[in-house]
Every structure is written in C-alpha cells, then in structure tokens.
Amino acid sequence: MGELAIDNHVRYIVSIEKRKDDFESVVMEHLRMNGAYWGLTALDLMGKLDSVDVDEVVSWVLSCQHESGGFGGNIGHDPHLLYTLSAVQVLALFDKLDVIDVDKVTNYIVSLQNEDGSFSGDIWGEIDTRFSYIAICCISILHHLDQINVDKAVKYILSCKNMDGGFGCTPGGESHAGQTLAITGSLDLVDKDLLGWWLCERQVNSGGLNGRPEKLPDVCYSWWVLSSLIMIDRVHWISKEKLIRFILDCQDTENGGISDRPDDAVDVFHTYFGVAGLSLLEYPGVKPIDPAYALPVDVVNKIFFSK
C-alpha cells in the first residue's frame, strides 16, 4: 500500500489556486468559493496552509460578498447559502472571521428560513436538506444559532427520514442530517443502529464507500458516510484499513491530486474529500477534522473555545 503523497497534493492544490483563469476550467468559475474551501482545507489538514497568501485570499473572499450579506461563488456572481458557508469556513481557517459584518451575514441566513423550518438556498427558493445543514453550520460558526428557529429546522430534517434509516433525497443526505443534528444537539432523535446499518452497508469489496445501494464507490463518500458513522458512534462497523487503501489508490502519486476512483482524473473536490476521509481515519501526518463542521479540529476549537 502506498503512502499519502502530501508534497505532490500540496503542489497540485497551490497550482489550481494560482490558475485563476482556468480554475479546473471555466466550468468551475461559479464554484470558485467552494473550490477555495476544498483546496485550502485540504492544505490545512496536511499542515501546509502557509503555502498560500492569506491577504490575497481574504480580500478575494470579501469581494464576493453582496449587499444582502450573502457571498457569491466568485466576484460578480449571485449570492447563495453554499458559497456563504464556504466563505465563512475559509475565513475561519485563517482566523479572520473578524473581517466580516457578522450581523449582516446572519440576517442573510435568517431571511432564507421558511415557515416549515426548511431553508432555501437563495432568493429563488430551491429547498434541500443540504441547505438546512449549511445554514445551521454557518450561523453556528458565527455564534448566532439562536437567531433561527432551530426546533423547526430539526423537525423539518427529521421529516425527510426514509424507512431504511437513510435521510433525504440527495446523496449525502444522511451526513447532512447527522451534521445538523450534531450541531443542534439533537442526535438522540436518530435510531443510531438503523442509520448505522444503512451507512456501513455502503462499503463495497474494493474498500470504498458508495452513496446509495448498487452505486459505484466514490472517494467523496469517504467523507459523507464516515463523518456520519463517527457522529453516531458506529465507525467500527466498517473496515478502516480497506477504506484507507481505497483512498490511497485514488491518488495521482506523480502529479498530485485524488480522484473519485482509481485511475480516474483528479480534481480539487475529491482531493479534499480524500484527505478529509483520511483525517477521519486518523491517518498519520493528517490533522484531525471535525465531522460536523468540516473544518480542522484546531480551527473549530478556536471558534468555540477561545472567546
């Protein structure tokens, strides 16, 4: 079994962050904020956040903020909850949360909660359980969880539970449910054995995890499924060794980066989820990540315990 090619992955991520013009091609342009979060968090987990220029990143993040308080995926792009959380997470990585007007961002998030407790992603109103997690995670990092209706938000998420123990209609719904319930202190509302059984069934012969029965394994589920299993205390139900081997097999050891499956093309999204998965698996040389906030544990501790 190979090892994690940290230096190559760092080089790969830094080269993408620098290539603003073709950031994983133009397709990624509107997702640049998410890309920054994925790449920078992976760097931090590998202990290499100092490979980037803090001031440059922070000023770019701020230039993506709108009057409404929300952030766009890039300069001049419409605001959305997805990018707002990524922006807040990036600033948290650098310990720069004090550069934003917290009340303004909080008001933006509060304005997107619906009567039934759910959240819309933006003013156009698409609803998804992911947005509940994103809103709650973001507003919690800003120390304003009391500004939204948490009870209604939790009730809405529980209403999306499926018979088999899974949650929601989107891949990763289980994890978003787990993370939201963890942040709001509501994990006791979940049948941990039923959900844990559904989650551990996601491991296939190659050691990788899939997001739904009969689907191919994908490195990104190393994060979604593992983080949920950890939060409900059932991670011992899967083979950690086989999963580590699967993630390491998805590396491009020459040029850096991690792909969804062995021998596929690498991208920053899977590089982040691969490194984050290894972090949850306590792989040597990778900093621990918080399964609920998707940020390094030391960053989360600074947010909540250094006040």
Side-chain angles (χ1 to χ4, degrees), residues 8-10 12-17 19 22-25 27-28 31 34-40 42 46 218-221 247 250-252 255-276:
N8 298 15
H9 297 323
V10 170
Y12 167 70
I13 293 168
V14 170
S15 75
I16 301 174
E17 296 294 336
R19 284 197 327 245
D22 67 335
F23 187 69
E24 300 282 73
S25 84
V27 182
M28 281 288 286
L31 283 175
N34 297 45
Y37 159 70
W38 294 325
L40 295 167
M46 294 186 287
D218 186 318
V219 157
C220 69
Y221 293 115
I247 297 172
C250 294
Q251 300 181 96
D252 178 336
N255 304 309
I258 298 174
S259 57
D260 57 350
R261 283 179 281 285
D263 304 321
D264 281 0
V266 304
D267 58 57
V268 71
F269 174 81
H270 289 93
T271 302
Y272 160 68
F273 284 112
V275 173

Side-chain angles (χ1 to χ4, degrees), residues 112-170:
L112 294 171
Q113 187 169 27
N114 302 306
E115 193 46 47
D116 63 358
S118 66
F119 281 85
S120 303
D122 59 17
I123 54 169
W124 308 111
E126 186 198 350
I127 294 169
D128 188 315
T129 46
R130 281 182 313 163
F131 303 152
S132 299
Y133 160 64
I134 288 164
I136 285 169
C137 182
C138 192
I139 212 161
S140 176
I141 290 171
L142 300 173
H143 299 280
H144 278 307
L145 196 53
D146 57 341
Q147 303 283 314
I148 57 163
N149 189 324
V150 174
D151 288 344
K152 273 190 171 179
V154 168
K155 276 202 186 81
Y156 174 75
I157 284 166
L158 292 173
S159 74
C160 300
K161 189 173 157 192
N162 303 325
M163 294 302 291
D164 60 6
F167 275 85
C169 51
T170 50

Side-chain angles (χ1 to χ4, degrees), residues 1 195-219 221-226 229 234-249 277-278 281:
M1 178 163 92
L195 178 56
W197 179 247
W198 191 92
L199 290 163
C200 77
E201 290 268 277
R202 307 278 60 78
Q203 191 163 36
V204 299
N205 290 336
S206 64
L209 300 165
N210 62 21
R212 285 281 177 276
E214 309 303 321
K215 296 278 191 228
L216 288 168
D218 186 318
V219 157
Y221 293 115
S222 309
W223 167 260
W224 297 123
V225 175
L226 261 185
L229 282 168
R234 298 292 183 276
V235 77
H236 52 286
W237 286 9
I238 61 159
S239 164
K240 290 182 172 185
E241 292 71 27
K242 284 177 75 171
L243 181 54
I244 288 173
R245 193 173 314 130
F246 175 79
I247 297 172
L248 293 176
D249 283 347
L278 290 172
L281 291 160

